[in-house]
Amino acid sequence: MKQKGIRLFLICLGVVFLAGLCAACQRGRDREETTLDGELKEGTYRVYTINKAGTKLSAYNYTCEATETESIVGELLEQVKMASGALEQNSAMPENLYLQSFTLTDKILYLYFDGNYLNMRPTVEVLCRAALAKTLTQVEGVDYISVYVNDQPLIDSAGSQNGYVTGSDFIERVSDVEDMAASQTITLYFTDETGTKLLPEIREVTVPAQGISIEHLVVSEILSGPKEEGHYPSLPSTVKINGVQIRNQICYVNLNGAFLNDALDVSEYIPVYSLVNSLAELSTVSKVQIMVDGNSSIVFRDSLSLENPLERQLDYVAQ
């Protein structure tokens, strides 16, 4: 009886030892995935998931077996869908959401989903798109993602194409989305009747709960046109937003070709500084980089270079 008790004690001790050894090994693997300064080692990525409550993003480290860019993307997409390395976390992609295909062109990853994408609740959609962007733009050669549903670009609540987005464009918690759904006062610049001066227009707007940034909303409001009498459009209505991103207080505004091709009868600086001055009113923006279909090597109307970010210019504002 005494010997049996000793054997049982030794077995229990062995189990505890093995459990501790396994935990130590796991901690060792976690450490091996990062360098001494905390950066992920080559081939290791952060895969983003959603917590059980569905309120915020979380992430785990995953080391890809693939080495080619598109194969890495495919492997990470599978991880986002399965969330196989997550503990107490849900996949960022609902079970009924089907990714039909993806293509990588000029560092833009196009993701083609079926119609179930549109059935997600707004907060779930934001977190899903955030998880995809934050996971996939870590891959060398992927700067942006662009979501398509049934071969059509995803449209936001303002009626604009969501365009190209990167991980830093998104909030990570549902509470952040809810906080953003509040009124804000913005200042927009349109033109006068002569098309030679900018006129400020103060407008109260509500940032929608679909995760659209205030910078994106400002550009959308400019494209929607003025509301005050004596104010005139500064950009043609055919201009569409490809994407709006903010990095290091520089706002990158990517527009379609109509910005160059569908000119209004206004001075050449009016369309440019309508955007620049309106965005520079925000505390988050110090300069604005305007691009057309991703290209900034442009001389607008053969007189105004858009190659470098532009600062606010008050000389064009009516006194």
Side-chain angles (χ1 to χ4, degrees):
M1 210 46 202
K2 186 175 181 182
Q3 288 180 342
K4 184 182 293 186
I6 293 173
R7 283 199 302 270
L8 182 60
F9 172 76
L10 291 175
I11 290 171
C12 291
L13 185 62
V15 169
V16 171
F17 174 76
L18 287 174
L21 182 61
C22 289
C25 288
Q26 181 61 49
R27 288 193 297 270
R29 282 195 294 271
D30 291 342
R31 284 195 296 269
E32 288 171 1
E33 290 171 342
T34 59
T35 60
L36 291 176
D37 59 4
E39 294 182 359
L40 294 178
K41 287 194 173 182
E42 186 176 356
T44 299
Y45 302 88
R46 298 285 284 167
V47 175
Y48 284 81
T49 59
I50 299 177
N51 69 338
K52 289 290 186 182
T55 58
K56 65 179 181 179
L57 293 181
S58 185
Y60 63 91
N61 291 353
Y62 174 77
T63 302
C64 282
E65 295 180 1
T67 55
E68 299 296 327
T69 300
E70 293 197 11
S71 297
I72 293 172
V73 167
E75 197 171 332
L76 289 176
L77 279 167
E78 185 68 18
Q79 284 296 312
V80 174
K81 178 68 175 179
M82 303 302 295
S84 59
L87 295 175
E88 298 301 318
Q89 300 289 318
N90 289 328
S91 166
M93 295 170 61
E95 288 184 6
N96 64 343
L97 181 60
Y98 177 60
L99 178 66
Q100 297 171 322
S101 63
F102 69 86
T103 59
L104 180 60
T105 305
D106 296 330
K107 296 189 176 183
I108 302 168
L109 181 64
Y110 296 91
L111 304 173
Y112 296 90
F113 290 95
D114 68 349
N116 285 323
Y117 191 96
L118 301 178
N119 296 330
M120 287 189 285
R121 288 183 292 108
T123 50
V124 174
E125 189 278 328
V126 170
L127 291 176
C128 173
R129 193 151 39 100
L132 289 167
K134 288 177 175 294
T135 300
L136 298 170
T137 56
Q138 297 172 82
V139 180
E140 185 71 27
V142 180
D143 288 350
Y144 304 95
I145 69 165
S146 183
V147 172
Y148 278 63
V149 180
N150 291 331
D151 295 325
Q152 297 298 318
L154 185 64
I155 302 299
D156 63 29
S157 60
S160 299
Q161 181 178 338
N162 270 285
Y164 314 138
V165 294
T166 191
S168 60
D169 295 331
F170 291 93
I171 49 76
E172 296 190 13
R173 296 181 299 276
V174 169
S175 58
D176 291 339
V177 180
E178 293 167 348
D179 290 343
M180 290 174 68
S183 294
Q184 278 191 251
T185 300
I186 58 176
T187 302
L188 306 174
Y189 287 88
F190 297 100
T191 190
D192 63 1
E193 188 175 12
T194 68
T196 59
K197 286 293 183 179
L198 291 170
L199 300 174
E201 182 172 310
I202 298 175
R203 186 175 297 181
E204 195 80 11
V205 296
T206 299
V207 181
Q210 280 82 356
I212 182 175
S213 68
I214 185 60
E215 295 83 12
H216 192 292
L217 184 58
V218 165
V219 179
S220 294
E221 289 291 315
I222 293 172
L223 295 179
S224 71
K227 295 181 178 179
E228 292 186 15
E229 187 176 351
H231 292 189
Y232 294 83
S234 53
L235 284 91
S237 60
T238 51
V239 173
K240 303 298 180 186
I241 301 172
N242 288 333
V244 178
Q245 287 88 39
I246 183 80
R247 291 197 297 273
N248 299 322
Q249 289 204 308
I250 299 176
C251 187
Y252 295 83
V253 180
N254 190 6
L255 304 173
N256 70 343
F259 180 77
L260 297 177
N261 302 325
D262 299 345
L264 296 178
D265 187 18
V266 297
S267 298
E268 71 280 353
Y269 49 81
I270 291 295
V272 172
Y273 283 96
S274 170
L275 289 167
V276 173
N277 285 9
S278 298
L279 287 164
E281 290 283 345
L282 301 173
S283 61
T284 55
V285 179
S286 60
K287 295 181 181 180
V288 178
Q289 175 69 71
I290 298 175
M291 300 176 287
V292 176
D293 291 329
N295 180 28
S296 62
S297 300
I298 295 168
V299 179
F300 186 67
R301 295 196 190 174
D302 299 323
S303 62
L304 187 58
S305 174
L306 304 182
E307 187 169 3
N308 297 309
L310 300 170
E311 295 181 329
R312 184 202 321 249
Q313 177 55 265
L314 297 180
D315 290 344
Y316 301 135
V317 179
Q319 301 300 316

